[in-house]
Amino acid sequence: MASSMSTETTITPEIRAWLMQELRFPVMATIGKSGMPSLSVIWFDLDPDRDDVVLLNTLAGRVKDRHLRRDPRISLCFEDGNDYVTIEGRAELSDDREQALANISARSRRYGQEGAFAMGDRVDITVHVERVIRHR
C-alpha cells in the first residue's frame, strides 16, 4: 500500500477529527541546552476556536518548562500505527497558576483520569502551530 504525506500550516478539520476521534497521547519534543531533543508523552487538547493552537500543561520547573523558556520551538507527534500527524510550532507559556490548575483538571477528566496529575505550580503551554505534517 502506498503512503501519502501532506503539509499544512493549520490543523484542518480532517486532521482535527483524526486527533480527537480517540484519546491520543502525543510525544512532545523540546530542545535541551546541549541541542539534543528531549521527548516526553503529554496530554493535549485543541483550542475549540482556533485551528492553529494546541493546548498543553506541565509542572513549573520541569525539564520541558525549562527547555521551552529557553527555546520555544516544539514538536508533537501523534501516531496510530503507520499513520501519524506531526505538529511543529512555538510555545507560549503562561504562569497564571489558577488557570493552569483549572486547565489540567479539565484535561485529566477528558483523559478519564480525574485528579491524576502531579500537584504543584502548573504552567499552561500554548503551541502556536507553524506546520502540520500528515502521513498515512
Side-chain angles (χ1 to χ4, degrees):
M1 177 159 71
S3 65
S4 70
M5 190 174 299
S6 63
T7 303
E8 307 287 342
T9 56
T10 61
I11 300 168
T12 65
E14 178 188 4
I15 291 173
R16 178 180 287 270
W18 185 85
L19 291 171
M20 301 302 285
Q21 75 187 6
E22 61 186 65
L23 282 179
R24 298 196 187 278
F25 296 83
V27 175
M28 178 180 73
T30 58
I31 301 168
K33 194 178 211 178
S34 70
M36 184 66 73
S38 176
L39 305 174
S40 58
V41 174
I42 193 164
W43 293 343
F44 84 101
D45 209 346
L46 298 177
D47 186 310
D49 301 319
R50 297 185 59 187
D51 60 6
D52 62 347
V53 170
V54 179
L55 306 170
L56 309 170
N57 186 290
T58 190
L59 272 175
R62 279 206 168 153
V63 168
K64 56 191 126 205
D65 176 38
R66 294 192 318 266
H67 286 180
L68 291 170
R69 287 183 191 280
R70 193 188 68 266
D71 186 333
R73 291 176 293 172
I74 187 170
S75 182
L76 299 164
C77 185
F78 304 79
E79 66 83 26
D80 185 11
N82 288 328
D83 289 350
Y84 63 87
V85 170
T86 300
I87 295 176
E88 299 171 345
R90 301 202 182 256
E92 176 184 346
L93 281 67
S94 170
D95 292 316
D96 181 337
R97 305 295 195 229
E98 279 186 43
Q99 185 61 55
L101 182 58
N103 289 338
I104 194 62
S105 293
R107 209 148 299 131
S108 74
R109 285 189 296 279
R110 182 170 106 72
Y111 274 83
Q113 300 181 42
E114 187 165 357
F117 54 87
M119 294 304 290
D121 289 339
R122 305 294 306 192
V123 175
D124 277 328
I125 304 167
T126 301
V127 178
H128 298 281
V129 175
E130 295 175 357
R131 184 164 76 153
V132 180
I133 303 163
R134 173 86 191 262
H135 179 274
R136 53 184 159 176

